[in-house]
Amino acid sequence: MTISHIPVPAPAVVPYEPWEGQADMLAEAAAAGRRAAAWIHSLPAPPSPTPTWSWLVGDLAVAIEAAMANLDPEDCDRMDEHGLAVDGAGGMGSVTQSMLAAVSCVVADAPWLTTDQQVRLLAVASAVTGAAQVLAQDPGSAILHGLLARMCTILDYAARPDGPARTPVR
């Protein structure tokens, strides 16, 4: 008796179709990331420079700018060729994810920053993480229904130049 194995068919490659307004929305997200990085670069230095300050205004600012510039709707939750669920990352790498997760610990080691600046750093890290997550979980809603735009608005508000907080217009 001869046993023949039927070859497994190759998965159908479905070409990616960009969402309407995707390029503009991703460009706005990248611009919001640049503004946030510029604000972080402008944070005051401690009386004597510390590794925490160097990390904040260096590595973290660069990571935030890169994360927002590299958002990718194609890196979304999906099924692989074996039918297993694959979590998307929205274009954010694992190193950047871990850096953003560390911000809550790092601000505790930055007593020269005002409480307002510390809270805004936390909000920036959260908004950047959230932007990647909304793209990973539902890129259509993120782009077409304004979820990514809202995350960019939060990012811009948190990274506003230092000074009195603005009151939202109602």
Side-chain angles (χ1 to χ4, degrees):
M1 172 184 221
T2 303
I3 298 177
S4 297
H5 295 284
I6 299 173
V8 175
V13 177
V14 179
Y16 178 76
E17 296 276 336
W19 300 94
E20 183 179 331
Q22 174 177 315
D24 292 337
M25 188 66 258
L26 293 176
E28 178 51 35
R34 286 190 299 277
R35 291 187 293 270
W39 172 71
I40 293 171
H41 286 301
S42 76
L43 288 172
S48 60
T50 65
T52 299
W53 179 73
S54 298
W55 183 82
L56 284 171
V57 300
D59 296 341
L60 179 65
V62 168
I64 285 171
E65 184 173 358
M68 293 301 287
N70 294 322
L71 291 176
D72 183 4
E74 288 186 70
D75 185 10
C76 59
D77 296 346
R78 62 196 174 280
M79 300 294 265
D80 70 5
E81 63 274 1
H82 303 293
L84 299 174
V86 176
D87 289 334
M92 186 183 298
S94 60
V95 172
T96 302
Q97 289 173 356
S98 65
M99 287 178 73
L100 293 171
V103 171
S104 61
C105 296
V106 172
V107 295
D109 194 28
W112 68 91
L113 296 175
T114 66
T115 303
D116 179 65
Q117 291 167 330
Q118 292 176 344
V119 169
R120 289 167 50 200
L121 273 170
L122 291 169
V124 165
S126 178
V128 172
T129 301
Q133 287 176 342
V134 298
L135 274 178
Q137 293 169 0
D138 188 358
S141 292
I143 294 167
L144 298 175
H145 299 294
L147 301 179
L148 183 57
R150 281 183 258 174
M151 298 309 292
C152 291
T153 299
I154 292 167
L155 181 59
D156 278 338
Y157 186 80
R160 68 190 180 277
D162 282 344
R166 292 182 256 163
T167 304
V169 178
R170 294 184 194 257

